[in-house]
Amino acid sequence: MHHPPTVEDHQAHQAEALSRPQKATDARDEASVFLACLHPAPPTPTAQDLLLLVSELVTNARRHAGTVTALHLRADRRQIHVTVDDPSPAHPQDRSPDLSGGAGGIGWPMVRRLARTLTIHPQPGGGKSIHATVPR
């Protein structure tokens, strides 16, 4: 016999966190805590992809916009949503990667490969939100 979903079932599949990390390490720590609260837990490769995605988005916001105004993590039954807000209206640009590690150019292509979906939205009053999803 099939039972309708309960509040507990709904909560088991949805979670949300909002923060303002100042460093990529803070963002990874916050994402790790968020992942630990998800039931069922996502597979290890998904968790690793999410941590790398969060780290790169926050690093890019700090490097190119000066700061992160918000990191929003949300999970539903099918995917994990990551939104990073920053004060710059400029969209990320593809650049030739500097493989010596000095000038960057590696983060944005990595973000595009890790994310199932990736959108950029202007924010009222300036700045932007970058929204990415990974499968849960």
Side-chain angles (χ1 to χ4, degrees):
M1 184 161 102
H2 183 266
H3 296 284
T6 65
V7 170
E8 290 80 16
D9 291 335
H10 179 74
Q11 289 172 339
H13 293 283
Q14 293 212 359
E16 198 162 351
L18 181 63
S19 63
R20 189 176 178 186
Q22 293 306 303
K23 299 180 294 196
T25 55
D26 297 338
R28 283 192 302 274
D29 291 347
E30 292 165 24
S32 292
V33 169
F34 175 78
L35 286 167
C37 294
L38 295 182
H39 298 287
T44 299
T46 297
Q48 291 169 337
D49 286 354
L50 180 75
L51 293 175
L52 186 54
L53 180 69
V54 165
S55 182
E56 288 300 325
L57 286 171
V58 167
T59 297
N60 285 351
R62 298 258 317 132
R63 178 175 288 151
H64 301 290
T67 191
V68 172
T69 53
L71 167 63
H72 186 203
L73 301 168
R74 186 174 60 83
D76 57 35
R77 289 179 178 266
R78 290 171 300 187
Q79 46 195 1
I80 301 171
H81 304 261
V82 177
T83 303
V84 173
D85 299 342
D86 70 52
S88 171
H91 285 221
Q93 301 295 312
D94 283 324
R95 301 183 290 140
S96 295
D98 177 1
L99 300 179
S100 69
I106 297 170
W108 187 243
M110 189 181 310
V111 164
R112 289 195 346 246
R113 280 188 209 87
L114 290 168
R116 173 185 277 174
T117 64
L118 187 61
T119 57
I120 303 168
H121 303 281
Q123 290 196 330
K128 68 180 167 300
S129 292
I130 298 179
H131 180 81
T133 63
V134 296
R136 183 161 177 185

